[in-house]
C-alpha cells in the first residue's frame, strides 16, 4: 500500500568476498513516498529519475546529492488513462518508460504512447490509440524512433518524426499472440533486437528483414520479465523470469576455447544451436558460421525459487530484484 522510491549506495569494489558477494551492507541514502505501484523507472541524468506508476502518473524525482534527499521535480498526472483524464479513478497503469535526455517516452495499459520533454509541462506528442492492446515495454531504436512490445505478441517501430499515428513497421511472433513483456536493442548493431514474453522464450529479431524473429531460443519456464544486452559487451545478454532464474547468454567466443572455463563447479551450462541462418550478418546473435553457432548459458541463481522481476547491468556489475523483497548485487560477472 505504501510504496517508496529509494536511492542506495552499494559501496566500492574493495569489499568483495571470494564468491563475488558484496561484503558489508548497502546504505540507504534517501527515499520518498510514491503513489501507486512502481511499474518502471530510469535515470534521466545524474540526478533525475523518471518513474512510471500504476496510477498512470509519470513523475520525475530529483536526487539532491548535497543533502541526500529526494523531491518530486515534475509530474505528469494521469499520463495514461482509460476513460478520460479528469475522472478520479480512470488512471491506466504506465507500464514502461525510457529516457534519452531530455526526451522521455512512456507506454501504458491504455495503448497510449507519450513523448515528454523534461522541463516541459505538456506532452510534446501523444499517440492516443497507438495500440488496441496493452503496451508492456518501450525502448529507443535511435534518437527519433522507438520500439514497443504489446500483449498480443507484436513488436512495433514508431518514427516520432512522422505525424501519422501508425507504426512504421510491425513484427510478430507467429500465430500464438503470446504477450511480449520486454524488449532491448543491441547497443552497437541497432538492427538486432531481443524480446521476451509470457512463454519464457527469447526471441532475436533482425528488423532489416522479415516480420518474424530470426531465432527463438528456449529459455525460461515462466514469464520473462526483462531482457538486457550488456551495454559495452553485447555478446552477453541477460534475462530474468517469474520462474526464479536469471540467465547469462554468452556468444562471445567459440566453445572449444572455453573448455577450461566450463569445469567450474556449481554452474549449469546448456548449449543451443542456432537453426536460423542468415548469410550477410556478422553478429554472433545472427551467426551462420558453424564454429560459432553455439552459445553458453549459465543460470546465475540456480537455487532461487521466487520471481526475478528486474535486472540491470553495468561493467562487471549485475543488480536484480526479486519477490523475496530483496535486491542483489553481483559484482564479478566476468570473473
Amino acid at each position: 500500500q505504501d510504496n517508496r522510491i529509494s536511492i542506495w549506495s552499494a559501496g566500492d569494489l574493495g569489499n568483495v568476498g571470494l564468491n563475488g558477494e558484496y561484503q558489508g551492507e548497502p546504505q540507504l541514502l534517501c527515499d520518498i513516498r510514491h503513489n501507486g505501484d512502481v511499474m518502471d523507472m530510469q535515470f534521466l541524468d545524474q540526478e533525475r529519475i523518471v518513474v512510471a506508476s500504476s496510477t498512470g502518473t509519470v513523475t520525475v524525482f530529483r536526487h539532491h546529492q548535497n543533502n541526500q534527499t529526494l523531491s518530486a521535480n515534475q509530474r505528469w498526472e494521469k499520463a495514461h488513462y482509460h476513460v478520460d483524464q479528469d475522472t478520479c479513478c480512470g488512471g491506466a497503469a504506465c507500464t514502461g518508460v525510457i529516457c534519452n535526455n531530455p526526451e522521455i517516452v512512456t507506454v501504458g495499459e491504455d495503448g497510449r504512447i507519450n513523448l515528454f520533454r523534461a522541463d516541459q509541462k505538456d506532452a510534446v506528442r501523444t499517440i492516443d490509440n497507438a495500440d488496441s492492446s496493452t503496451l508492456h515495454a518501450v525502448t529507443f531504436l535511435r534518437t527519433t524512433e522507438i520500439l514497443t512490445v504489446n500483449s498480443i505478441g507484436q513488436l512495433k517501430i514508431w518514427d516520432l518524426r512522422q505525424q501519422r499515428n501508425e507504426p512504421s513497421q510491425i513484427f510478430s511472433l507467429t500465430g500464438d499472440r503470446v504477450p511480449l513483456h520486454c524488449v532491448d536493442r543491441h547497443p552497437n548493431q541497432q538492427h538486432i533486437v531481443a524480446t521476451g514474453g509470457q512463454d519464457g522464450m527469447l526471441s532475436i529479431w533482425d528488423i532489416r528483414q522479415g516480420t518474424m524473429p530470426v531465432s527463438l531460443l528456449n529459455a525460461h519456464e515462466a514469464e520473462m520479465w526483462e531482457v538486457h544486452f550488456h551495454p559495452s559487451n553485447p555478446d552477453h545478454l541477460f534475462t530474468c523470469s517469474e520462474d526464479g532464474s536469471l540467465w547469462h547468454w554468452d556468444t562471445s567466443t567459440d566453445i572449444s576455447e572455453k573448455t577450461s572455463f566450463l569445469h567450474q563447479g556449481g554452474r549449469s551450462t546448456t548449449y543451443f544451436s542456432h537453426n536460423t541462418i542468415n548469410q550477410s550478418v556478422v553478429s554472433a546473435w545472427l551467426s551462420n558460421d558453424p564454429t560459432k553457432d553455439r552459445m553458453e548459458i549459465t543460470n546465475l541463481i540456480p537455487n532461487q525459487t521466487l520471481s526475478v522481476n528486474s535486472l540491470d547491468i553495468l561493467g562487471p556489475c549485475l543488480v536484480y530484484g526479486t519477490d523475496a523483497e530483496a535486491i542483489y548485487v553481483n559484482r564479478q560477472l566476468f570473473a
Side-chain angles (χ1 to χ4, degrees), residues 151-166:
S151 60
I152 56 169
Q154 293 172 320
L155 168 69
K156 297 184 182 180
I157 299 180
W158 304 83
D159 186 339
L160 297 172
R161 292 163 303 190
Q162 298 289 337
Q163 281 316 298
R164 59 197 190 95
N165 293 341
E166 302 288 325

Side-chain angles (χ1 to χ4, degrees), residues 200-249:
M201 297 279 275
L202 172 64
S203 307
I204 305 289
W205 311 70
D206 180 350
I207 58 171
R208 299 171 307 183
Q209 53 173 23
T211 57
M212 282 160 50
V214 292
S215 44
L216 283 170
L217 298 164
N218 274 316
H220 303 279
E221 284 161 27
E223 292 91 342
M224 184 189 297
W225 292 131
E226 195 123 39
V227 57
H228 276 300
F229 286 100
H230 192 288
S232 53
N233 201 344
D235 286 344
H236 298 266
L237 178 107
F238 298 85
T239 59
C240 65
S241 167
E242 180 72 29
D243 68 10
S245 60
L246 193 160
W247 284 20
H248 174 185
W249 305 71

